[in-house]
Amino acid sequence: MELNGIKPAAGAKHAKRRVGRGIGSGLGKTAGRGHKGQKSRAGGFHKVGFEGGQMPLQRRLPKRGFKSQSLKFNAEVTLAALDKLGLGEVDVLALKQAGLVGQLAKVVKVVKSGELTRAVKLTGVGATAGAKAAIEAAGGSVA
């Protein structure tokens, strides 16, 4: 290889489009802009979404819904899942290791769904009123 033989990769370089340079170039006269209208003029532009004064689509449609960004840090665990887990003491870390809640979860709450047959002690985990009653009835506690 010699310095005078170095070339860019095939297709890496291409000629800039020279508009308005005569009929033979294929881009003479109107220079690829077509005839008349706002887009043919120098400085002729409009905002994205502008529909010529007609009410734009994003304003014609109704506003709807909201998704809280804090939802990804909250998680729920059922009584049935706690029963299947089979641990005496349950905290957020144990639930994450068992795969019952996501790794991002910070606030975990036990909901009353299913049955609990064993005594479970909750630490750092919340519970709904019904779930708390069911845990205490099974001999467990909520801290």
Side-chain angles (χ1 to χ4, degrees):
M1 181 186 283
E2 300 291 329
L3 279 176
N4 63 354
I6 297 173
K7 287 193 170 126
K13 299 283 219 170
H14 50 88
K16 192 170 182 290
R17 189 169 71 155
R18 295 187 73 216
V19 298
R21 291 293 180 273
I23 203 167
S25 70
L27 288 168
K29 194 183 169 226
T30 55
R33 287 171 172 261
H35 292 276
K36 296 186 181 175
Q38 188 176 22
K39 287 163 96 175
S40 74
R41 320 260 187 235
F45 76 99
H46 55 78
K47 287 186 210 164
V48 174
F50 184 69
E51 298 182 22
Q54 173 175 300
M55 189 61 69
L57 184 67
Q58 76 271 18
R59 290 188 61 197
R60 287 198 301 260
L61 298 176
K63 293 198 289 185
R64 188 173 170 273
F66 167 78
K67 187 167 185 184
S68 173
Q69 288 302 302
S70 65
L71 277 178
K72 59 187 168 198
F73 300 114
N74 300 338
E76 288 181 354
V77 180
T78 62
L79 286 176
L82 274 185
D83 200 40
K84 200 183 273 186
L85 189 62
L87 292 174
E89 282 201 35
V90 176
D91 60 349
V92 178
L93 192 63
L95 293 171
K96 283 182 182 179
Q97 286 169 344
L100 288 176
V101 298
Q103 291 300 316
L104 288 174
K106 289 183 178 147
V107 179
V108 180
K109 202 168 205 181
V110 179
V111 293
K112 186 179 184 247
S113 176
E115 295 292 315
L116 186 66
T117 55
R118 65 180 83 236
V120 176
K121 185 182 177 198
L122 297 182
T123 49
V125 178
T128 61
K132 188 175 179 181
I135 290 165
E136 287 168 353
S141 65
V142 180

